[in-house]
Amino acid sequence: MEGPLVPRPITMLGLESSCDDTAAAVVRRDQAGAVSVVSNVVFGQTELHRAFGGVVPEIAARAHAEKIDICVEQALGDAGIPLLNVDAIAVTAGPGLIGGVMSGVMCAKGLSAATGKPLIGVNHLAGHALTPRLTDGLVYPYLMLLVSGGHCQFLIVRGPTDFTRIGGTIDDAPGEAFDKTARLLGLPQPGGPAVQDEAALGDAKRFKFPRPMLDREGCDMSFSGLKTAVLRARNEVMIGDTIARSDVRDLCAGFQAAVVDVLAEKTRRAAALYLAETPSQPALAVAGGVAANTAIRATLETVSEECGMRFTAPPLALCTDNAAMIAYAGLELFEAGQRDGLDLSARPRWPLDNASAPMLGSGKKGAKA
Ligand code: KG4
Ligand code: ZN
C-alpha cells in the first residue's frame, strides 16, 4: 500500500536574460513545503544602455552572452550548492529581446546536456505572475496586476500555466508614462521614482488631467493620452526654456493622481470579475516596477480592503526582473511534469493567455516586462 504523499525537497536553478538584466538564482522547497530563495544574482546593464535612452538589443545580447555563465557560477557559489545537486534547470524562454533570451536558453541547454539535469522553459511573465506564491504563499486563484515599464495587465492566476487576462493597457504601460513625463519635465530616468518624489511636494488638484477609459466598461486602460496632456500643460506654464520647480511638482502630482485613479477604478472592476468566481482565499497581488510607487500601492491596498481581498506586493528585488521568479515558476512546472528537450526554442512573443482577445498593444517600449 502506498503511504501518504510526502513532498520531496526540490532545488531549482533559474536563468533570466530576456531584457537588460542577466540573472541567475537558486530556489529551494523543503520537505515541509517551505520555499526559500537561496541565492539571487542580478547583473544589471543600465550603464551600458544609458547613453542611448533605451535598451539596445545588440548591446544587451552581447552582455548577456558574456555574463550569463559567470552569473550562474556566482548563484551556485552563493548558494553553496554544486550544479550536480540541483534537480533541474529553469530558463526564461520568452517573451523578450530574442538575442538575450537565446543567450540564456543556450546556456541552460549546455548545463542540462552536460549534467543530464532536466531543462524547463519558463514564460517570463509567468515568472512575474507566480512570484506572490514564492513570497507570500498565495493560493490559486488570485488576481494579479502586472504593472511595469513594458506591461500593464490584470490576470486571474489559476495555476502555473493557467492564466486569464481580463484587461490591460491598449497603448502605453504606466511605467512608460512615468518615464515620458519625467523626460518632459527634465527629471532623471527611470522616471517613476523621480516623478513620485516631485509629486509628493505638489498640488494634485491644480492641473486637471484626463482619466482615460473610465467611461468605458471593462478593465482595459490607456495611458498614452496622459503624457500628451502633461506636455500641453507644461507648455502653458513654461517661460522660454525654463519651468518653475513648483510647476514641475504640481504637474507630477496631477499626473500621478490620474494614474492612481485609473488603476484604482479598473482594479475594482477586475476584482468584481475575479470575486464572482468565489475564490477560497481572495487576494490581489501587484508586481512590476511601478508597484514600487507608494501612492499606487496605498490605493491598491485600500481597494483590496474594500473588496475583501488580501493585498500583497512582493519586495522590490523580486518585483523587478530576477531569476528567482524563473526558478520558482520552473519548480511548479517541474512538479506539474514539464520537461523540455534541447529543441526548446527562444520566443520573442509568448502571450500568457492565448484564449483572450489579443491586446491592441501592451506597451510600446519594447519587450521588457
Ligand atoms: O518592472 P520594471 O523594473 O522593468 C520593466 O519591466 O520595465 O519596471 C520599470 C518601470 C520604469 O518605467 C520605472 O519608471 C517604473 O517601473 N517605476 C516606477 C517607480 N519605480 C519604478 N513608477 C512609478 N513610481 C515608482 N516609484
Ligand atoms: Zn519582467
Side-chain angles (χ1 to χ4, degrees), residues 41-60:
V41 179
V42 180
F43 294 160
Q45 302 178 352
T46 313
E47 288 311 317
L48 296 178
H49 302 287
R50 193 183 293 284
F52 304 97
V55 178
V56 183
E58 289 77 11
I59 294 177

Side-chain angles (χ1 to χ4, degrees), residues 18-369:
S18 65
C19 189
D20 60 351
D21 292 301
T22 313
V26 175
V27 167
R28 190 174 157 77
R29 204 191 56 201
D30 67 18
Q31 196 113 17
V35 190
S36 56
V37 178
V38 189
S39 67
N40 190 19
V41 179
V42 180
F43 294 160
Q45 302 178 352
T46 313
E47 288 311 317
L48 296 178
H49 302 287
R50 193 183 293 284
F52 304 97
V55 178
V56 183
E58 289 77 11
I59 294 177
R62 207 173 314 133
H64 286 306
E66 279 169 12
K67 290 273 163 60
I68 188 81
D69 52 343
I70 303 171
C71 199
V72 168
E73 230 175 353
Q74 193 171 322
L76 291 168
D78 286 359
I81 293 174
L83 179 59
L84 283 171
N85 287 10
V86 306
D87 290 291
I89 298 158
V91 60
T92 300
L97 299 173
I98 194 65
V101 179
M102 281 170 66
S103 295
V105 168
M106 297 298 286
C107 180
K109 282 182 184 175
L111 296 172
S112 169
T115 58
K117 302 289 177 187
L119 176 68
I120 321 267
V122 175
N123 182 311
H124 176 88
L125 298 171
H128 279 303
L130 297 179
T131 300
R133 287 180 51 77
L134 163 67
T135 55
D136 296 272
L138 288 197
V139 299
Y140 296 125
Y142 54 90
L143 179 63
M144 150 121 322
L145 170 59
L146 185 55
V147 65
S148 70
H151 276 267
C152 181
Q153 51 187 312
F154 289 108
L155 295 165
I156 298 178
V157 184
R158 306 171 199 283
T161 56
D162 191 353
F163 307 91
T164 306
R165 186 177 57 71
I166 55 174
T169 182
I170 61 162
D171 41 51
D172 291 357
E176 213 173 343
F178 270 95
D179 293 342
K180 284 176 181 167
T181 295
R183 223 167 277 137
L184 285 175
L185 301 175
L187 298 170
Q189 295 293 318
V195 171
Q196 170 178 312
D197 290 348
E198 296 298 318
L201 304 166
D203 171 9
K205 297 211 171 68
R206 178 168 156 213
F207 296 99
K208 294 272 171 292
F209 290 127
R211 271 63 174 157
M213 297 186 69
L214 282 195
D215 53 338
R216 284 207 231 155
E217 273 179 34
C219 308
D220 282 342
M221 292 164 273
S222 159
F223 294 99
S224 72
L226 249 180
K227 68 168 188 285
T228 318
V230 172
L231 172 67
R232 273 206 208 102
R234 181 204 69 168
N235 289 347
E236 272 169 28
V237 294
M238 252 175 131
I239 301 164
D241 278 349
T242 55
I243 179 163
R245 194 60 188 261
S246 60
D247 291 337
V248 169
R249 290 175 174 161
D250 293 347
L251 286 164
C252 286
F255 161 80
Q256 184 174 278
V259 175
V260 164
D261 281 357
V262 171
L263 287 175
E265 177 54 25
K266 295 291 177 168
T267 301
R268 270 184 210 107
R269 295 185 199 175
L273 289 174
Y274 160 69
L275 292 169
E277 298 185 9
T278 57
S280 64
Q281 296 177 39
L284 168 69
V286 64
V290 179
N293 185 285
T294 45
I296 292 174
R297 246 177 140 99
T299 304
L300 294 175
E301 195 160 6
T302 308
V303 171
S304 300
E305 260 169 39
E306 268 170 41
C307 300
M309 299 183 292
R310 175 181 169 195
F311 176 73
T312 66
L316 199 57
L318 295 176
C319 263
T320 53
D321 286 353
N322 67 87
M325 69 180 191
I326 302 303
Y328 177 75
L331 195 154
E332 288 210 20
L333 294 167
F334 179 71
E335 286 227 289
Q338 180 180 321
R339 302 289 182 272
D340 288 296
L342 294 180
D343 57 349
L344 172 69
S345 50
R347 302 170 62 172
R349 299 203 168 273
W350 187 357
L352 267 185
D353 172 4
N354 283 312
S356 297
M359 304 279 280
L360 289 175
S362 57
K364 292 178 195 145
K365 191 167 113 182
K368 183 160 184 174

